Amino acid sequence: MSASQPKEPELPTALITGITGQDGSYLAELLLEKGYDVWGMVRRASTESYERIEHLRDQLHFVQGDLLDQPSLTTALEAARPDEVYNLAAQSFVPTSWSQPVLTAEFTAVGVTRLLEAVRQVNRDIRFYQASSSEMFGKVRETPQTELTPLYPRSPYGVAKCYGHYITVNYRESYGMHCSSGILFNHESPRRGLEFVTRKVTDGVARIKLGLTDELRLGNLDAKRDWGFAGDYVRAMWLMLQQEEPDDYVVATGETHTVQRLVDLAFARVGLSPENHVVLDPAFVRPAEVDLLVGDPQKATDQLGWTPEVSFEELVNMMVDADMERLSA
């Protein structure tokens, strides 16, 4: 009698909410490279855009679900049967949170509770990642910001993210679930939405260089941010769920740059001077501005072995080059 063939080990399975977004697309790429079976949860919509993951679509599974509808989340988990869930879905544009504060709360705050509760009911062994945000620090209590810095959000989005963060902590401590949060500082890429200031700048610079427009309208050029590359930051998400114990981590570069510096680098990449093209417009200044956010990633470095690999200048150049190529096509 011949010996039976050894059973093939099952692929680890991950479910990503917000898979069609910037972070979702980079995370899907990373998990596929690591041999995961990757599922994406998408909302039923006639205008759903798969642009950022078009090159991956034949390698992914999709399941419908909506953070506003708890039964759909339970159904999605039962279909995908994931080992890991990455909750990246949210109403994530800060200015929109001022015009749609209740919807922002439903998605970005209560939506986290719905998903955690679905995980608790379906399988408490699922490892859960929550996308927290540096916007929770808002009117900062100390610089740089760490995992222990008191929160003081300055927008409905920031307030909603605080709720999502603490409800994740609550499920971890109340039910013994493996729930971790990444307090991610600003992270950008060529896949960033055009409504975000980094992409607004690089797209605007490319349009000016190609003669498609002659001005770039911006708000507060003195605002400072800790900007990194999204591809680096999704690696930190994955590392969190590989740890024996769940925890919360600041993910940042530890360096701060002004919007003015972003503008200067972007224009320099195409050999132009910003003075001739940038117009200050009060319409783009927030009702309550967050002036200085800079994170201390020491805990992520020490415990996860994570460090960012792409510098700020490399990031800006990458984004300008991608917009030049896209608009020249």
Side-chain angles (χ1 to χ4, degrees), residues 122-192:
V122 172
N123 178 6
R124 290 193 193 185
D125 291 334
I126 293 171
R127 296 191 171 198
F128 183 89
Y129 171 83
Q130 167 60 15
S132 290
S133 169
S134 60
E135 289 285 335
M136 301 189 306
F137 295 121
K139 189 174 181 179
V140 298
R141 307 285 84 188
E142 63 181 6
T143 300
Q145 292 89 55
T146 73
E147 294 79 8
L148 300 178
T149 300
L151 308 181
Y152 196 142
R154 296 268 279 172
S155 68
Y157 170 77
V159 173
K161 278 293 184 182
C162 288
Y163 178 105
H165 180 78
Y166 279 120
I167 199 66
T168 301
V169 172
N170 195 257
Y171 270 69
R172 177 171 74 216
E173 295 179 350
S174 300
Y175 301 115
M177 293 163 60
H178 197 296
C179 301
S180 295
S181 289
I183 306 172
L184 270 57
F185 280 65
N186 295 66
H187 47 289
E188 317 297 318
S189 76
R191 301 177 194 172
R192 190 57 139 157

Side-chain angles (χ1 to χ4, degrees), residues 59-260:
Q59 303 174 67
L60 302 170
H61 310 282
F62 295 96
V63 62
Q64 287 185 0
D66 193 320
L67 290 179
L68 301 183
D69 179 57
Q70 178 138 7
S72 73
L73 303 178
T74 300
T75 301
L77 290 170
E78 290 172 340
R81 300 176 62 200
D83 303 292
E84 299 170 2
V85 168
Y86 295 86
N87 184 36
L88 310 186
Q91 189 302 98
S92 59
F93 187 45
V94 174
T96 298
S97 77
W98 292 103
S99 58
Q100 297 184 318
V102 176
L103 184 66
T104 298
E106 285 289 349
F107 272 118
T108 309
V110 184
V112 185
T113 313
R114 295 188 186 102
L115 186 53
L116 282 165
E117 186 60 14
V119 169
R120 185 181 75 85
Q121 291 177 1
V122 172
N123 178 6
R124 290 193 193 185
D125 291 334
I126 293 171
R127 296 191 171 198
F128 183 89
Y129 171 83
Q130 167 60 15
S132 290
S133 169
S134 60
E135 289 285 335
M136 301 189 306
F137 295 121
K139 189 174 181 179
V140 298
R141 307 285 84 188
E142 63 181 6
T143 300
Q145 292 89 55
T146 73
E147 294 79 8
L148 300 178
T149 300
L151 308 181
Y152 196 142
R154 296 268 279 172
S155 68
Y157 170 77
V159 173
K161 278 293 184 182
C162 288
Y163 178 105
H165 180 78
Y166 279 120
I167 199 66
T168 301
V169 172
N170 195 257
Y171 270 69
R172 177 171 74 216
E173 295 179 350
S174 300
Y175 301 115
M177 293 163 60
H178 197 296
C179 301
S180 295
S181 289
I183 306 172
L184 270 57
F185 280 65
N186 295 66
H187 47 289
E188 317 297 318
S189 76
R191 301 177 194 172
R192 190 57 139 157
L194 288 166
E195 69 271 24
F196 290 86
V197 69
T198 45
R199 186 72 194 291
K200 179 179 179 180
V201 168
T202 61
D203 175 77
V205 164
R207 289 179 184 277
I208 291 169
K209 179 64 176 178
L210 295 169
L212 302 175
T213 187
D214 61 358
E215 70 175 28
L216 174 61
R217 304 183 78 85
L218 295 169
N220 182 7
L221 298 182
D222 296 323
K224 297 177 181 178
R225 292 292 184 275
D226 183 329
W227 276 302
F229 172 51
D232 286 339
Y233 285 38
V234 299
R235 186 162 35 87
M237 300 177 188
W238 175 77
L239 286 167
M240 288 178 212
L241 296 200
Q242 310 319 304
Q243 304 306 304
E244 191 170 327
E245 296 296 328
D247 209 341
D248 305 320
Y249 298 88
V250 164
V251 181
T253 68
E255 298 177 358
T256 186
H257 303 274
T258 61
V259 175
Q260 183 69 62

Side-chain angles (χ1 to χ4, degrees), residues 234-309:
V234 299
R235 186 162 35 87
M237 300 177 188
W238 175 77
L239 286 167
M240 288 178 212
L241 296 200
Q242 310 319 304
Q243 304 306 304
E244 191 170 327
E245 296 296 328
D247 209 341
D248 305 320
Y249 298 88
V250 164
V251 181
T253 68
E255 298 177 358
T256 186
H257 303 274
T258 61
V259 175
Q260 183 69 62
R261 173 71 173 151
L262 163 68
V263 168
D264 290 344
L265 286 172
F267 275 96
R269 184 64 171 175
V270 296
L272 293 175
S273 172
E275 288 80 13
N276 300 323
H277 303 284
V278 173
V279 177
L280 298 182
D281 188 339
F284 295 112
V285 177
R286 294 182 185 182
E289 181 59 88
V290 175
D291 295 314
L292 175 58
L293 290 172
V294 54
D296 180 356
Q298 195 62 50
K299 181 177 175 181
T301 300
D302 292 345
Q303 297 187 19
L304 304 178
W306 179 85
T307 53
E309 296 176 357

